Amino acid sequence: MAENFIAEAFSLLAISLVVIVLRWISRVMTVGFSKLAADDYLMIVAGALYSAETTVAYYVGVRWKGLANSGMTAEERAALDPQSEEYRLRVGGSKNQLTGWLVYTVLLWTLKTCMLIFYSRLTDGVRNMRIRIRIGAVLLAVTFLATFFTILLGCQPIHRHWQINPDPGSKCFVKFDTLTWADGSRLLPASNLEAPSSRFDNLEHLNGFLPHVRAVARMSRETALSQDCPLTLSADDMEVATSHA
């Protein structure tokens, strides 16, 4: 089981790093080093964070054997010797899992920032986009800080994240802290609102192409009819399709 996890985790990491390298090569060949944008450099940061996150996951599963301060009864906690190997594994595993969640959060919001910067370049010159990008940046900053510190400070004091005895409570179980995850996941849609909407709310500049699309559709239909070629779509269907393009 552990071998399968290791193979999968490092295979996905390798694929991701290859994609980042290919992206860089493509960008350098297209615009040159001097015109690389902030999102190009952030992808290097994302690659480093993903490597760190995969390494942490490897340590959790292999070095710490998947153990943490959860999944124990009060009797088992009281009986566990602080000098024992299991105690060391559980403390180390809990610390590693907390680190993994924090690194994962930074990675996720780094990629969100890359997307936002990419959309800012993609929509450069489009009306009313500057304010949308700024709103998106504020949302990213606020949701990142809220998620990061919810994970880190949701259990106080912090050392209770790896406390064994007495039972620190479910809020301090990094592995099964569904409350912390729910609090953080509620913020994910908010931080995703701005970037995708920028693609669809400002397409009025494409309206000039629609008459040409309709003209091509009519010409295609007339050509097909003159050659006795049946069409799947009627003229009305094509007009509706192009009007919704």
Side-chain angles (χ1 to χ4, degrees), residues 132-145:
R132 290 175 178 266
I133 296 299
R134 289 177 177 174
I135 292 173
V138 171
L139 281 174
L140 279 182
V142 171
T143 54
F144 168 73
L145 292 174

Side-chain angles (χ1 to χ4, degrees), residues 9-37:
F10 282 94
S11 295
L12 292 174
L13 174 62
I15 293 172
S16 300
L17 294 179
V18 168
V19 170
I20 291 174
V21 170
L22 292 177
R23 182 188 190 278
W24 252 77
I25 293 174
S26 174
R27 287 284 292 162
V28 170
M29 292 179 63
T30 303
V31 301
F33 278 107
S34 61
K35 294 185 179 181
L36 291 176

Side-chain angles (χ1 to χ4, degrees), residues 72-82 84 86-87 164-165:
M72 303 178 69
T73 65
E75 293 75 17
E76 289 173 337
R77 293 177 184 277
L80 187 61
D81 183 1
S84 66
E86 181 181 348
Y87 190 96
I164 304 297
N165 189 45

Side-chain angles (χ1 to χ4, degrees), residues 103-201:
V103 173
Y104 174 75
T105 301
V106 176
L107 168 62
L108 188 59
W109 262 261
T110 298
L111 294 174
K112 289 172 180 286
T113 304
C114 286
M115 288 181 60
L116 186 67
I117 296 173
F118 170 73
Y119 283 125
S120 71
R121 292 195 290 108
L122 187 67
T123 58
D124 185 36
V126 178
R127 181 165 52 89
N128 297 329
M129 276 308 303
R130 186 177 296 275
I131 185 63
R132 290 175 178 266
I133 296 299
R134 289 177 177 174
I135 292 173
V138 171
L139 281 174
L140 279 182
V142 171
T143 54
F144 168 73
L145 292 174
T147 303
F148 187 89
F149 286 108
T150 296
I151 295 172
L152 182 62
L153 304 179
C155 171
Q156 287 293 319
I158 292 178
H159 68 79
R160 292 182 64 197
H161 278 294
W162 52 86
Q163 178 176 303
I164 304 297
N165 189 45
D167 189 338
S170 60
K171 289 188 67 175
C172 298
F173 297 162
V174 180
K175 188 173 183 179
F176 298 106
D177 189 0
T178 54
L179 179 62
T180 296
W181 172 246
D183 291 341
S185 63
R186 289 193 195 102
L187 299 173
L188 293 178
S191 62
N192 288 332
L193 287 176
E194 285 302 312
S197 66
S198 66
R199 291 177 296 175
F200 306 109
D201 293 344

